[in-house]
């Protein structure tokens, strides 16, 4: 491919005036030109007009691995959020380039923990003597920066996703005295409860307070130290939503993502990752009723896909991930036509040293069956 000069590079603003039909046509034409050199990955929470162009859809973990498996693809266009594109870059081969169609597509939960804050928390645990007296394992949710994954790699820790949190906790709780889990307190708490850990043995670490707002005694007695982070989308689901759907539809099954608060998970029938939610509905009998507590774009697609089942969003108000929504057909068309023109826009590159250690933590996770 010849490399175009910068003046030939398409300009994003030029795509905003195009009709839906024009955008679709241009995306498909660029896809055809790029052929096997391109793979487009679409996270389950992406909007329909983007998912329509995805080669593969999946959860964050499945998609990060898939890019590398499609090793003929030089360009991995990741329609998702920043931490997912970072993970895809870490797991990709050297000849592959990962592209995020809108650099503003971040994750507010991932932003709730910086590597500096995590390092500082670790230093405070060391100064309090906790690290001398106990084996503390750092575990980070996939929804975190590459730098935090690297921190876990360096400190005998591991990465976790909502689909493997249970086997991973099972192994980690046998190996360590305490787990330090970031950045989602709810996934950590909901998983800890599955192992019978009493809530009194879980403390929350607030990065803006000394010792995370805890006493040394509380930290010494804790089995789980949970970072004070959460997902603002899943945080919208409330206990009264569960009560309401049960009142409206007796016998309805409530299925939620474990990023929801404890009280909602406790009142639900089932909880699990996006892949678990999809699989459960695939297997559900025709005529069954379901209220789903996760992102609205996925729920709407499930409603369309299973017309023989009664599926609804758990909350009456919209639970949409605004940063996922930033990836629009305009961004996709711009990115693909830039690639056709020989320009690689919005490439996500994790610095080598960070990627090396983050990969250690990701590989430890992959080794857990
Ligand atoms: P998955 O790990 O299921 O892809 O979920 C990612 C996410 O951001 C959930 O809010
Ligand atoms: Fe982040 Fe929540 Fe959006 Fe998932 S749904 S990407 S956790 S803000």
């Amino acid at each position: 491919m010849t490399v175009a000069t910068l003046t030939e590079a398409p300009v994003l603003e030029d795509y905003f005036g195009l009709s839906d039909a024009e955008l679709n046509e241009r995306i498909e034409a660029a896809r055809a030109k790029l052929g096997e050199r391109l793979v487009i990955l679409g996270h389950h929470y992406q909007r329909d007009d983007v998912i329509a162009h995805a080669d593969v859809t999946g959860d964050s973990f499945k998609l990060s691995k898939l890019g590398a498996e499609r090793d003929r693809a030089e360009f991995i266009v990741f329609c998702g959020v920043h931490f997912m594109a970072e993970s895809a870059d870490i797991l990709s081969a050297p000849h592959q380039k990962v592209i995020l169609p809108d650099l503003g597509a971040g994750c507010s939960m991932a932003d709730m923990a910086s590597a500096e804050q995590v390092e500082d928390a670790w230093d405070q645990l060391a100064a309090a003597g906790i690290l001398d007296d106990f084996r503390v394992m750092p575990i980070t949710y996939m929804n975190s920066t590459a730098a935090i994954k690297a921190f876990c790699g360096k400190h005998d820790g591991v990465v976790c996703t909502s689909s493997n949190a249970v086997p991973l906790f099972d192994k980690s709780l046998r190996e360590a005295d305490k787990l330090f889990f970031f950045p989602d307190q709810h996934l950590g708490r909901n998983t800890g409860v599955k192992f019978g850990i009493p809530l009194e043995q879980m403390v929350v670490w607030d990065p803006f307070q000394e010792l995370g707002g805890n006493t040394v005694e509380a930290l010494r007695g804790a089995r789980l130290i949970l970072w004070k982070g959460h997902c603002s989308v899943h945080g919208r689901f409330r206990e009264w939503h569960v009560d309401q759907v049960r009142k409206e539809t007796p016998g309805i099954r409530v299925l939620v993502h474990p990023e929801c608060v404890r009280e909602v998970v406790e009142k639900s029938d089932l909880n699990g990752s996006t892949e678990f939610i999809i699989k459960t509905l695939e297997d559900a009998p025709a005529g069954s009723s379901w209220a789903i507590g996760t992102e609205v774009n996925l729920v709407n697609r499930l409603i369309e896909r299973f017309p023989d089942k009664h599926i609804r969003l758990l909350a009456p108000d919209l639970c949409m991930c605004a940063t996922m929504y930033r990836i629009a057909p305009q961004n996709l068309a711009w990115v693909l036509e830039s690639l056709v023109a020989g320009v690689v826009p919005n490439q996500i590159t994790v610095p080598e040293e960070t990627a090396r250690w983050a990969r250690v933590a990701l590989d430890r996770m992959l080794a857990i069956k």
Side-chain angles (χ1 to χ4, degrees), residues 43 45 59-60 83-84 141 143 162 231 234 257 259 273-274:
H43 186 269
Y45 294 165
D59 66 4
S60 59
F83 73 81
M84 300 178 186
Y141 190 21
N143 301 29
S162 48
C231 165
H234 290 91
H257 196 284
E259 285 176 15
S273 64
T274 47

Side-chain angles (χ1 to χ4, degrees), residues 43 45 80-81 83-84 106-110 141 143 184 230-235 257 259 294-295 320-324:
H43 186 269
Y45 294 165
V81 291
F83 73 81
M84 300 178 186
C107 163
S108 53
M109 177 204 284
Y141 190 21
N143 301 29
D184 184 17
H230 65 273
C231 165
S232 41
V233 178
H234 290 91
H257 196 284
E259 285 176 15
T294 197
E295 210 271 346
M320 190 188 74
C321 180
T323 46
M324 285 273 181

Side-chain angles (χ1 to χ4, degrees), residues 161-222:
T161 73
S162 48
S163 24
N164 65 14
V166 171
L168 194 135
F169 266 54
D170 188 30
K171 182 168 187 289
S172 309
L173 285 166
R174 277 185 274 118
E175 287 175 6
D177 303 311
K178 300 176 191 300
L179 308 183
F180 194 178
F181 188 84
F182 13 79
D184 184 17
Q185 59 170 302
H186 302 302
L187 177 63
R189 186 175 295 111
N190 288 323
T191 312
V193 166
K194 288 182 184 163
F195 286 90
I197 300 175
L199 292 176
E200 309 78 71
Q201 288 179 23
M202 302 184 197
V203 296
V204 173
W205 185 282
D206 178 349
F208 297 102
Q209 291 194 52
E210 201 154 324
L211 278 182
N214 302 289
T215 60
V216 175
E217 292 67 42
L219 288 164
R220 292 184 77 84

Side-chain angles (χ1 to χ4, degrees), residues 8 23 48 87 127 137 144 146 154 170 206 213 238 242 281 320 322 327 331:
E8 292 171 59
L23 284 165
D48 287 352
S87 299
M137 184 185 291
S144 59
K154 278 185 198 157
D170 188 30
D206 178 349
R238 300 270 148 217
V242 183
L281 291 176
M320 190 188 74
I327 312 275
N331 304 79

